[in-house]
Amino acid sequence: MIMFVFLFALVQVFLLLQPFFLFAVKPQHKDVPPGSMGWPIIGETLSFLKPHKSNTLGRYLQDRCSRYGRIFKAHLFFHPTIVSCDHEFNMFILQNEEKLFQGSYPKSIHGVLGDLSLLCIVGDHHKRLRNFALNLTNTCKSKVEYINDVDRLTMSVMDSWKNRKELNFCEEMKKFTFNLIVKQILSMEPEEAEATNILEDFHTFMKGLISLPLCIPGTSYAKAVKARLRIHSTLKSIMRKRKQECIRKGDYFDVLLSNSSTSDEEKISVALDLLLGGYETTSTLIAMILHFLGQSPDAHQMLKEEHQAIRKTKEKGGRLNWEDYKQMEFTQNVISESLRCGNVVKFVHRKALKDVRFKGFLIPSGWKVLPVLAASNLDPMVHENPAEFNPWRWNGQEKLKSYAAFGGGRRMCPGSDIAKVEAAIFLHHLVLNFRWRPQGIDYPVAYPYVDFHRGLPIEIERCS
């Protein structure tokens, strides 16, 4: 009944304000790119966000690019917007961060991530906190124990499969990457109650992250907001205990706590961002690799041969190290190609800080700008036969070609290198110890965050 009353009121407001919004979204600028502003208030947002295979642009972008060209105007996320599927313009936007363009995510994202999230803050504030996040990569690389932790946890996960013939691979990867990131940041072991609670809250958090932003009890969005507050409360409690008892565990949280130039709220926000990124992005990457390897037996075989050669250099039971990781050249090709095809980050939110002209078009000051990174990754002018999964394209000079897998410019994901290390080590043990095949049809879908509709179920068998 309450929901019915709310929807009825929303319709009434819509009808009352319709003439105003019809006028308000009508562009008053010359030389803006062609396009359609769609419905009042919501514009074309629902069509833009409609789920589709992540290795395609989806019907909305394909239709608009065909009709208007690769740069067009629209009304998205309650704002007049310039959408770019043009590789050159996308690179121009990313390279002019804080000069001509600035991060500008919808208020609903602020509501669920928090105003201090790296996605939401801008300018020098963003630069300062991002540097702390980058320290995680440097901290991990400087620790011999890091590779050992990844190697050990990988083997632990695979040992748990010994009596299983079927897996929900996405679920397994989320457990694996979450256990890794809480170990590195908070020194938590998987069996600890606090770790279990945080993982459950992250499941709730991801479901509501891009849901309809209605903060009404019972909605996915409202549950996500509450889940984030619980994670925030847990981190604050850990911080308070470490300060009061002078506890040092040598993890990344200690690195944050030792910094006197950041507030407690900023430290908690950075830790939460890293937990989320390390959990979600890396698990998605590994699942995409498994999916795309199934389309290329030759790539699978070459990957296996590379890791067999590495194994021959190890003593029995010897752990992997940084030198082993540096030898995984074809593995890096597979990772790069999976990121290009799967498009973990479909688009990013920016706004124009001043009037900008590009290729004869005007991007008006204050308008939102959405560079569609997936369009660059799937552009035949940038990558030959872009629909084909071809890890060999990254050999030689092809490696110099631009692609945007984790965003770009000053706002590129600070944990991208860590994600690649964890994926490479996991692949080493997977291809050497298991055979697998998909159980039914499944594929990565852009929601716009990437996930598998069925969780990528597979049949698995340990190699003799």
Side-chain angles (χ1 to χ4, degrees):
M1 182 65 183
I2 294 175
M3 182 61 72
F4 174 79
V5 172
F6 172 79
L7 291 174
F8 178 78
L10 189 63
V11 170
Q12 298 305 308
V13 172
F14 173 83
L15 294 175
L16 180 65
L17 297 180
Q18 182 174 353
F20 167 76
F21 279 100
L22 280 170
F23 172 77
V25 300
K26 186 177 180 180
Q28 303 296 317
H29 305 274
K30 294 180 180 179
D31 300 330
V32 297
S36 169
M37 305 307 274
W39 290 89
I41 305 179
I42 62 171
E44 299 180 322
T45 306
L46 297 182
S47 297
F48 179 78
L49 294 176
K50 189 173 182 180
H52 59 87
K53 289 184 178 181
S54 71
N55 62 340
T56 71
L57 289 181
R59 181 175 297 179
Y60 172 84
L61 289 176
Q62 290 171 344
D63 174 72
R64 297 309 185 274
C65 288
S66 175
R67 191 182 305 179
Y68 304 119
R70 298 182 73 83
I71 303 175
F72 60 90
K73 72 171 181 279
H75 196 260
L76 300 172
F77 305 102
F78 308 107
H79 290 279
T81 304
I82 302 298
V83 180
S84 170
C85 292
D86 182 269
H87 174 69
E88 186 179 351
F89 188 34
N90 288 349
M91 294 301 104
F92 178 78
I93 295 168
L94 298 178
Q95 291 163 6
N96 282 280
E97 187 77 38
E98 299 297 341
K99 299 175 184 176
L100 303 177
F101 305 95
Q102 190 176 70
S104 182
Y105 282 79
K107 290 296 183 184
S108 59
I109 296 294
H110 287 243
V112 72
L113 287 179
D115 289 333
L116 292 176
S117 168
L118 288 171
L119 271 184
C120 301
I121 56 178
V122 297
D124 290 339
H125 194 187
H126 175 269
K127 181 180 179 181
R128 184 167 57 86
L129 293 192
R130 184 175 182 273
N131 284 338
F132 297 138
L134 283 171
N135 282 340
L136 173 64
T137 300
N138 297 329
T139 300
C140 289
K141 286 184 176 180
S142 66
K143 291 169 58 178
V144 176
E145 299 86 358
Y146 170 64
I147 290 286
N148 288 339
D149 285 342
V150 180
D151 199 44
R152 177 180 57 81
L153 188 55
T154 298
M155 295 301 294
S156 174
V157 168
M158 293 183 182
D159 284 344
S160 73
W161 297 349
K162 61 184 178 182
N163 296 320
R164 301 176 65 179
K165 295 183 179 180
E166 299 175 356
L167 297 174
N168 181 308
F169 193 73
C170 286
E171 183 178 328
E172 293 295 311
M173 288 306 93
K174 287 179 180 179
K175 291 177 184 176
F176 166 67
T177 56
F178 177 79
N179 291 340
L180 267 177
I181 198 67
V182 296
K183 172 69 173 177
Q184 297 305 315
I185 294 180
L186 300 172
S187 296
M188 283 187 184
E189 297 297 336
E191 61 273 9
E192 291 185 42
E194 282 183 327
T196 302
N197 292 337
I198 293 175
L199 178 57
E200 291 177 358
D201 282 331
F202 267 134
H203 286 159
T204 303
F205 182 86
M206 287 307 302
K207 289 179 182 178
L209 183 57
I210 61 154
S211 62
L212 192 63
L214 296 176
C215 208
I216 300 172
T219 63
S220 294
Y221 183 82
K223 291 178 181 178
V225 172
K226 287 186 176 181
R228 181 195 173 278
L229 290 175
R230 286 193 297 269
I231 299 170
H232 180 281
S233 178
T234 299
L235 293 177
K236 196 166 187 176
S237 176
I238 294 171
M239 175 184 288
R240 188 183 303 114
K241 183 177 180 180
R242 290 197 187 187
K243 284 184 176 182
Q244 291 175 349
E245 301 179 14
C246 297
I247 298 172
R248 292 193 62 83
K249 296 192 175 183
D251 53 29
Y252 184 67
F253 209 43
D254 279 350
V255 176
L256 275 175
L257 294 181
S258 65
N259 190 287
S260 60
S261 65
T262 54
S263 68
D264 286 353
E265 288 300 313
E266 288 174 330
K267 292 169 184 174
I268 291 173
S269 185
V270 169
L272 199 152
D273 279 345
L274 291 171
L275 285 168
L276 176 62
Y279 156 70
E280 183 65 27
T281 305
T282 310
S283 64
T284 302
L285 168 59
I286 300 174
M288 289 196 308
I289 292 171
L290 187 90
H291 168 74
F292 288 119
L293 281 177
Q295 301 178 7
S296 179
D298 290 342
H300 186 180
Q301 181 59 32
M302 188 164 181
L303 185 70
K304 187 172 183 178
E305 290 172 2
E306 178 173 84
H307 288 281
Q308 285 174 332
I310 292 172
R311 182 170 62 179
K312 288 179 181 179
T313 67
K314 311 298 292 181
E315 295 182 8
K316 188 174 182 180
R319 295 288 190 188
L320 293 173
N321 55 42
W322 280 110
E323 293 305 315
D324 298 322
Y325 174 67
K326 291 175 183 177
Q327 293 178 42
M328 300 178 185
E329 294 185 4
F330 187 71
T331 304
Q332 294 301 321
N333 289 2
V334 170
I335 292 172
S336 294
E337 184 68 349
S338 298
L339 287 167
R340 186 194 66 81
C341 290
N343 297 294
V344 175
V345 180
K346 179 182 176 181
F347 62 94
V348 293
H349 292 262
R350 300 290 185 267
K351 72 175 179 181
L353 295 175
K354 58 182 73 175
D355 284 355
V356 179
R357 288 196 173 272
F358 189 88
K359 291 186 176 181
F361 291 130
L362 170 68
I363 293 82
S365 175
W367 277 41
K368 296 299 179 77
V369 182
L370 295 186
V372 181
L373 307 182
S376 295
N377 295 338
L378 301 174
D379 188 345
M381 300 297 291
V382 181
H383 302 285
E384 185 178 356
N385 299 323
E388 177 186 0
F389 179 77
N390 175 19
W392 292 271
R393 75 170 74 243
W394 298 97
N395 290 336
Q397 294 301 309
E398 287 292 325
K399 289 185 178 181
L400 300 178
K401 286 192 173 180
S402 297
Y403 86 123
F406 291 99
R410 296 183 181 184
R411 302 183 73 92
M412 188 171 74
C413 174
S416 57
D417 287 344
I418 295 299
K420 292 176 183 179
V421 171
E422 293 172 2
I425 294 175
F426 192 90
L427 283 174
H428 173 81
H429 293 290
L430 182 67
V431 299
L432 291 180
N433 294 295
F434 289 93
R435 291 184 290 268
W436 68 87
R437 62 180 179 180
Q439 200 176 40
I441 298 174
D442 204 3
Y443 45 81
V445 176
Y447 284 99
Y449 75 90
V450 176
D451 202 359
F452 287 78
H453 180 65
R454 300 177 58 231
L456 195 57
I458 59 172
E459 295 178 11
I460 197 161
E461 178 184 5
R462 186 177 287 273
C463 298
S464 59

